Amino acid sequence: MNIGEAAKVSGVSAKLIRHYEAIGIIPKASRSTSGYRTYADSDVHVLSFVKRARGLGFSMKEIKKLVSLWRNKSRASSEVKAMALAHIEQLEIKIKELEAMAKTLRHLAKNCHGDGRPHCPILENLEGH
Amino acid sequence: MNIGEAAKVSGVSAKLIRHYEAIGIIPKASRSTSGYRTYADSDVHVLSFVKRARGLGFSMKEIKKLVSLWRNKSRASSEVKAMALAHIEQLEIKIKELEAMAKTLRHLAKNCHGDGRPHCPILENLEGH
DNA sequence: CTAAAGCTTCCAATGATTAGAAGGTCAAGG
DNA sequence: CCTTGACCTTCTAATCATTGGAAGCTTTAG
């Protein structure tokens, strides 16, 4: 399989596959005589794994670790669970931040007439009342 | 006021003040004879405005627009409100994404023993069951 | 007069991804 | 056989907001 087909099957773009290889997320692909990267089903499997982990919001650094745990058949599940729990915590912090922003903005927007006049509580709030 | 004191008063780092000037968020500061940037209270006021807008999650592009609306005494509040509402929508989308991630991860973590054994539903899920 | 703190500019890194340029390779059809 | 187009290669650079450092000038305090 060339990189194009591996991209199609895994859902990870060819550009990104090369990038993942460059930064060591995935091992270096073997090459054909002409220098093209060659992929087996198992390689595509890793790419799909990475894609799913990204979909759960893990950073590439974390994914690198997850992949190595995945490949290590004698891993302790506690290590994976700890990563998941730590990540959940980060997600919850981020969610709270965004919710606080949205809450403030909703409050300000509600009090803004939104007409042709210049008076605007939103700007007043940003100004520091 | 030099940039250092403006940074202290506004809470925006000197580095960032220069950067904001370079990308046109704030007007070019006037200079002393020796070339140092000089700031008045009104300039610091703008910096605080920018900082608050950032705190609400607006992008610098949006903030540039907000600042110009703020300075335009004949603006229509509808324009500001529209930006706020659009931003609220983006925030809500992001929150939903993060919540979906957290939900999935919580479910997976709950089913993971988290002990010394290798069996791990989290990795199994990433693998594609 | 000198040391330290503060200022200047420019260049580079972060994190994940995308985009482009310039060129080599492969398969199919005329 | 040769061309066309799709695919591959590498390297460079853009995005976004911010931070960091280097090298050098200015100001302030002792």
Side-chain angles (χ1 to χ4, degrees):
Chain A
M1 223 187 297
N2 282 341
I3 198 170
E5 207 185 338
K8 220 173 283 177
V9 178
S10 69
V12 180
S13 74
K15 284 263 184 198
L16 208 36
I17 294 175
R18 290 193 198 96
H19 181 64
Y20 285 167
E21 180 183 313
I23 63 175
I25 300 288
I26 55 174
K28 287 185 182 173
S30 55
R31 303 287 185 129
S32 70
T33 45
S34 61
Y36 285 15
R37 285 176 182 78
T38 308
Y39 297 89
D41 287 348
S42 60
D43 298 314
V44 173
H45 202 183
V46 179
L47 288 169
S48 302
F49 180 97
V50 172
K51 189 178 184 176
R52 281 197 197 84
R54 281 296 297 143
L56 289 176
F58 284 102
S59 70
M60 294 318 298
K61 196 175 171 182
E62 291 167 324
I63 290 174
K64 201 167 172 173
K65 206 168 192 171
L66 283 173
V67 171
S68 85
L69 286 170
W70 180 42
R71 294 154 91 89
N72 176 6
K73 294 296 176 201
S74 64
R75 78 222 154 207
S77 67
S78 60
E79 215 173 329
V80 183
K81 186 168 184 174
M83 284 186 67
L85 292 176
H87 186 50
I88 289 169
E89 210 172 310
Q90 290 306 305
L91 287 171
E92 283 169 348
I93 288 169
K94 195 82 203 161
I95 289 167
K96 268 178 199 148
E97 284 173 6
L98 297 181
E99 272 175 348
M101 292 177 191
K103 186 182 171 185
T104 302
L105 275 170
R106 273 191 291 263
H107 174 72
L108 292 174
K110 203 166 69 180
N111 290 326
C112 176
H113 289 298
D115 53 20
R117 288 172 296 173
H119 173 69
C120 179
I122 300 169
L123 291 178
E124 274 172 19
N125 176 277
L126 289 172
E127 195 175 341
H129 46 261
Chain B
M1 223 187 297
N2 282 340
I3 200 171
E5 206 185 338
K8 222 173 281 175
V9 178
S10 69
V12 180
S13 74
K15 282 266 184 197
L16 208 36
I17 294 175
R18 290 193 198 96
H19 180 64
Y20 285 168
E21 181 183 313
I23 64 175
I25 301 287
I26 55 175
K28 287 185 183 172
S30 56
R31 303 286 185 130
S32 71
T33 45
S34 60
Y36 285 15
R37 286 175 181 79
T38 309
Y39 297 89
D41 287 347
S42 60
D43 298 314
V44 173
H45 201 184
V46 180
L47 288 169
S48 301
F49 180 97
V50 173
K51 189 177 184 177
R52 281 199 197 81
R54 281 298 295 143
L56 289 176
F58 285 103
S59 71
M60 294 319 297
K61 196 175 173 183
E62 291 167 324
I63 290 174
K64 204 166 172 174
K65 206 168 193 171
L66 283 173
V67 171
S68 84
L69 286 171
W70 180 41
R71 295 155 90 91
N72 177 7
K73 293 298 176 197
S74 64
R75 78 222 155 208
S77 66
S78 61
E79 214 172 330
V80 184
K81 187 167 182 172
M83 285 187 67
L85 292 176
H87 185 50
I88 288 168
E89 210 172 311
Q90 290 307 304
L91 287 172
E92 283 169 348
I93 289 169
K94 195 83 204 159
I95 288 167
K96 267 177 201 149
E97 285 174 7
L98 296 182
E99 271 173 350
M101 292 178 190
K103 186 182 172 187
T104 302
L105 275 170
R106 273 191 290 262
H107 174 72
L108 292 174
K110 204 166 69 180
N111 290 327
C112 176
H113 290 298
D115 53 21
R117 288 171 295 174
H119 172 68
C120 179
I122 301 170
L123 291 178
E124 275 173 19
N125 176 277
L126 289 172
E127 198 175 339
H129 56 260

